[in-house]
Amino acid sequence: MLREALIVVVRRRFVGLNGLKGIALIAIVLYHCDQGTLRGGFFGVDIFFTISGFLIFSSLLNHIDSGKGIGFKEYYLKRLRRIYPALILMIPVTVSLAWFINQDMLVGIKNQMVTTMLGCYNWYAIGSGASYFSQMNPDMFRHLWFMSVLMQFYLLAPLLIYMLRKILVRWVPVAILAGLAVCSALSMGLQYHPGTDPTRVYFGSDTHAMGLWLGAMLAWLLMIIRRGNGRPEETAIMEYARLVWSKIGPAVAFAALLILLWMMQHVEQGPAAFYGGFFAASLLSVVLVAGSIPFGSWMQDLLVFKPFDVVGRYSYGIYLWHWPLWLFTKAMFPQWGARHLGWMLLITFALTACCTAMSWKLVEQPVARGGFIAMIRPLPENGMWDAARCWITIVVVLSTCLMSGYVVDNAPKQTSVEHALEENARMLKEQQGMHLDFDRKHPPTPKKPVHTMPNGQQMVAFGDSVMLASSKGLQSVFPGITVDAETSRSMTKALGLIDKAKSQPEGLRQWVLVGLATNSAVTDGQLNDILNDIGPNHVLVLINAHAPVSWVPGTNDALSDFAATHSNNVVLVDWDATISAYPDELAGDGIHPGMSNTLYAQAVKDAITNWIKQGH
């Protein structure tokens, strides 16, 4: 009875898995497009990994059970037909569009294209320092790290099964696959260091493969149960386990789904995720799959909900297209910002649906039915429509490939923002050199703090790339101000910068501007250390951040609370509110202001003016 029931399960289409993929994909897309909506949406990747590991191993093991062996040639050809047709269409189309919409997206595009097609983009991104968790000038194909990990797993899966089948003790392969999952989780935890960029451990095929191995483990476990071994005592135990699971499995799976949804809502990128969160999500995904696939599970009624099922069925195309189309939408409507996020999401979803349908009809479905030649040769059974489809495919692919070849040859080496920041940095360095020479000859006498509007000679500013972009405006509004700003700085650098300024002949100027909130979370302890370091005779001017990254809202709250608590000598500049009212003044990345405007400097001046008017 047990074996017959399981044969039905493994040989029929797994009902409900498309629904699970749909839920996971919705979470991923929401996280990519608006981290504030679902800050833990990246856990959807682990659901996908678990399902993928389960399906690939199940398919291979069923092929072996049918007496056909592993079938390496058939297996790899099927994977190629599934993966590459959509990539062959998506990559040249999006690269061509980027040339006309926002050429900043094309920096490093050649390496992105090559490594994506070779299935090793994740390691290229790790080696080149491309951060998954930064929204500043993101790679157009950075989301395809996921496909690279899958492609590497697809390459290894049949080889691993071939070796595991040589083991005579049938439960050992289950233990080995579980051990690989545990090793992957341990490797992630050991290599992750809070406060540093976690892209290495998130992208790594070694550190983020626990879901794949656990899914494979579940497939192997079902294969063992299905085959049986004729031992009455073991068969009785398995039959009892099946009966118990048939009663509690759907409820346990539903509980696992609720926990996963809670994690997506509350667990953000940080220690909780990397020190066990991803492994927990993978374990919950195994439970979710195991409780959803058995025949008669009431979880299937939930997961066959049509929207989830459709999204899951076309999940590959949706995943490929959604990220570059989201970047295009942001570039075309920079003035909308957070105020019209819903409209931007709606436009992105509509474009993604259209492009996914185009990809499916033009290349994916024909190649699945007739091989790669079907992209350009009509299938006889489809008549005139298929001939038209072939001509459309040839025109679209050929024209965009030619265009993308031109784009690759002429792609910019750096973004417009990076170029402007370099120019500003060079200018500041030259000015600081001249300023230091002057100070050595005429060291000024330290002044007692006087709470009137300061001039530039009384001010020093330490900042990140946003301040660097605004340095000309600061010098225009506050002539004589010293600006020390660099890209990728965070609040952890503040104490060192302040101490360096103290060691100069001039000493630390009375008004200290700190704009270091864009690149990492800021804590109350860091702010206390900065305030204590500058001393009681100085005024600390904190500038908050405006960036579409997860930590900015919390950082801005921390800055606001600290300024309110220490209002006698701390001024808060609400840069976020200022620039939100003028989204057209932002560069294409939605973070840096234009190099020629004075909005940043004016926000500083207005904040100081209001602070003085309050009696400070």
Side-chain angles (χ1 to χ4, degrees):
M1 177 180 176
L2 173 63
R3 293 183 63 189
E4 286 75 5
L6 286 167
I7 289 172
V8 171
V9 169
V10 298
R11 289 189 178 175
R12 69 200 293 271
R13 180 173 173 269
F14 290 111
V15 177
L17 290 192
N18 275 338
L20 283 181
K21 290 194 288 185
I23 293 172
L25 184 61
I26 291 170
I28 294 169
V29 171
L30 286 175
Y31 174 76
H32 283 170
C33 297
D34 179 29
Q35 294 182 11
T37 299
L38 207 64
R39 52 187 173 179
F42 49 76
F43 285 121
V45 166
D46 300 278
I47 299 176
F48 253 106
F49 276 156
T50 303
I51 294 173
S52 298
F54 172 73
L55 289 177
I56 287 298
F57 264 60
S58 294
S59 175
L60 284 166
L61 292 173
N62 289 339
H63 201 271
I64 293 170
D65 281 351
S66 68
K68 300 177 183 178
I70 292 179
F72 286 98
K73 181 178 179 181
E74 178 185 349
Y75 166 81
Y76 286 122
L77 183 59
K78 187 175 181 181
R79 300 277 75 76
L80 290 174
R81 288 179 175 179
R82 182 69 185 100
I83 293 170
Y84 279 98
L87 285 176
I88 290 171
L89 181 64
M90 186 275 291
I91 289 177
V93 168
T94 53
V95 168
S96 300
L97 289 174
W99 179 261
F100 299 102
I101 295 174
N102 184 0
Q103 294 186 13
D104 284 351
M105 298 179 192
L106 298 171
V107 175
I109 195 64
K110 180 180 179 180
N111 290 333
Q112 292 182 53
M113 293 169 63
V114 171
T115 53
T116 293
M117 294 300 289
L118 292 177
C120 57
Y121 172 81
N122 61 323
W123 293 112
Y124 160 73
I126 291 169
S128 64
S131 174
Y132 178 73
F133 296 94
S134 173
Q135 296 284 344
M136 299 182 190
N137 305 318
D139 289 350
M140 192 161 64
F141 298 140
R142 76 171 188 184
H143 64 308
L144 297 183
W145 74 271
F146 167 79
M147 286 307 305
S148 293
V149 174
L150 276 184
M151 290 163 74
Q152 292 158 34
F153 179 77
Y154 290 162
L155 185 67
L156 293 175
L159 302 174
L160 183 60
I161 287 178
Y162 178 81
M163 291 186 291
L164 291 177
R165 289 182 67 243
K166 300 293 184 181
I167 300 175
L168 298 179
V169 182
R170 63 181 188 149
W171 290 99
V172 169
V174 175
I176 290 175
L177 292 170
L180 288 172
V182 172
C183 288
S184 180
L186 289 174
S187 181
M188 173 178 276
L190 290 172
Q191 295 188 53
Y192 172 72
H193 301 289
T196 62
D197 182 12
T199 298
R200 164 63 184 91
V201 292
Y202 190 76
F203 277 12
S205 306
D206 53 343
T207 52
H208 204 164
M210 61 282 287
L212 292 165
W213 298 126
L214 288 175
M217 179 200 71
L218 177 62
W220 202 286
L221 184 63
L222 291 181
M223 182 267 293
I224 291 176
I225 297 174
R226 181 177 74 249
R227 287 181 177 177
N229 64 356
R231 297 176 183 175
E233 64 280 4
E234 188 170 333
T235 301
I237 293 173
M238 290 182 180
E239 179 66 16
Y240 178 74
R242 185 194 69 81
L243 291 173
V244 172
W245 186 251
S246 66
K247 294 178 180 179
I248 69 170
V252 174
F254 184 69
L257 176 61
L258 293 180
I259 296 172
L260 281 167
L261 293 176
W262 181 90
M263 291 174 66
M264 292 175 185
Q265 186 65 42
H266 295 92
V267 180
E268 58 187 25
Q269 174 256 325
F274 291 95
Y275 289 146
F278 289 111
F279 187 63
S282 301
L283 286 174
L284 290 167
S285 299
V286 168
V287 173
L288 185 53
V289 172
S292 300
I293 61 173
F295 182 74
S297 171
W298 54 261
M299 275 292 290
Q300 293 177 0
D301 297 331
L302 170 66
L303 296 175
V304 295
F305 179 55
K306 197 64 175 178
F308 293 158
D309 185 70
V310 170
V311 171
R313 191 175 306 165
Y314 300 102
S315 57
Y316 178 49
I318 294 171
Y319 187 83
L320 288 188
W321 287 95
H322 83 277
W323 176 248
L325 293 176
W326 168 247
L327 294 181
F328 293 159
T329 302
K330 289 201 302 179
M332 289 187 294
F333 304 102
Q335 72 279 9
W336 284 10
R339 294 179 300 169
H340 301 288
L341 180 63
W343 283 108
M344 294 174 67
L345 289 173
L346 186 62
I347 292 171
T348 302
F349 294 162
L351 292 174
T352 300
C354 291
C355 291
T356 300
M358 175 187 70
S359 176
W360 177 256
K361 289 294 185 180
L362 290 185
V363 293
E364 294 178 69
Q365 189 180 51
V367 170
R369 290 179 177 177
F372 282 96
I373 193 64
M375 290 179 65
I376 57 174
R377 188 175 71 187
L379 297 173
E381 63 271 20
N382 291 346
M384 291 299 296
W385 147 246
D386 212 48
R389 190 269 311 164
C390 285
W391 279 110
I392 294 171
T393 302
I394 291 171
V395 170
V396 171
V397 173
L398 184 60
S399 61
T400 55
C401 282
L402 291 173
M403 180 63 195
S404 59
Y406 171 81
V407 169
V408 168
D409 286 340
N410 295 275
K413 302 300 182 184
Q414 58 182 187
T415 67
S416 57
V417 172
E418 289 172 331
H419 177 73
L421 292 177
E422 282 190 3
E423 288 297 311
N424 280 9
R426 181 186 56 78
M427 177 192 70
L428 288 178
K429 188 174 182 180
E430 291 175 356
Q431 291 177 347
Q432 287 172 7
M434 295 170 61
H435 177 72
L436 287 175
D437 289 340
F438 177 80
D439 286 343
R440 290 189 185 99
K441 296 175 183 178
H442 306 285
T445 303
K447 297 181 180 180
K448 294 289 183 180
V450 178
H451 292 164
T452 57
M453 176 57 65
N455 58 51
Q457 297 290 341
Q458 298 172 288
M459 305 172 75
V460 60
F462 306 111
D464 50 29
S465 58
V466 176
M467 182 181 286
L468 181 57
S470 307
S471 57
K472 290 181 180 179
L474 284 171
Q475 291 172 332
S476 173
V477 174
F478 301 104
I481 187 174
T482 296
V483 180
D484 185 350
E486 288 183 2
T487 59
S488 302
R489 269 184 182 168
S490 66
M491 196 64 75
T492 59
K493 301 290 186 181
L495 291 179
L497 294 169
I498 292 169
D499 290 341
K500 180 181 177 182
K502 284 181 175 181
S503 67
Q504 299 299 324
E506 177 190 7
L508 184 66
R509 293 183 176 185
Q510 180 186 351
W511 294 75
V512 181
L513 279 63
V514 176
L516 295 167
T518 308
N519 295 305
S520 68
V522 175
T523 66
D524 198 59
Q526 288 175 325
L527 298 174
N528 271 311
D529 289 343
I530 293 169
L531 186 60
N532 292 333
D533 196 32
I534 67 173
N537 294 328
H538 294 77
V539 179
L540 176 62
V541 181
L542 296 173
I543 306 168
N544 70 12
H546 176 87
V549 290
S550 59
W551 58 79
V552 162
T555 288
N556 287 350
D557 289 342
L559 294 171
S560 178
D561 293 343
F562 186 82
T565 305
H566 304 82
S567 60
N568 286 334
N569 53 352
V570 177
V571 181
L572 177 69
V573 179
D574 196 349
W575 167 242
D576 182 43
T578 299
I579 196 60
S580 294
Y582 301 94
D584 290 345
E585 298 294 337
L586 287 171
D589 59 6
I591 298 172
H592 297 89
M595 308 299 163
S596 59
N597 71 58
T598 60
L599 284 174
Y600 190 90
Q602 194 61 49
V604 173
K605 186 173 182 179
D606 291 345
I608 294 175
T609 299
N610 292 332
W611 182 75
I612 292 172
K613 286 181 179 179
Q614 293 169 8
H616 297 296

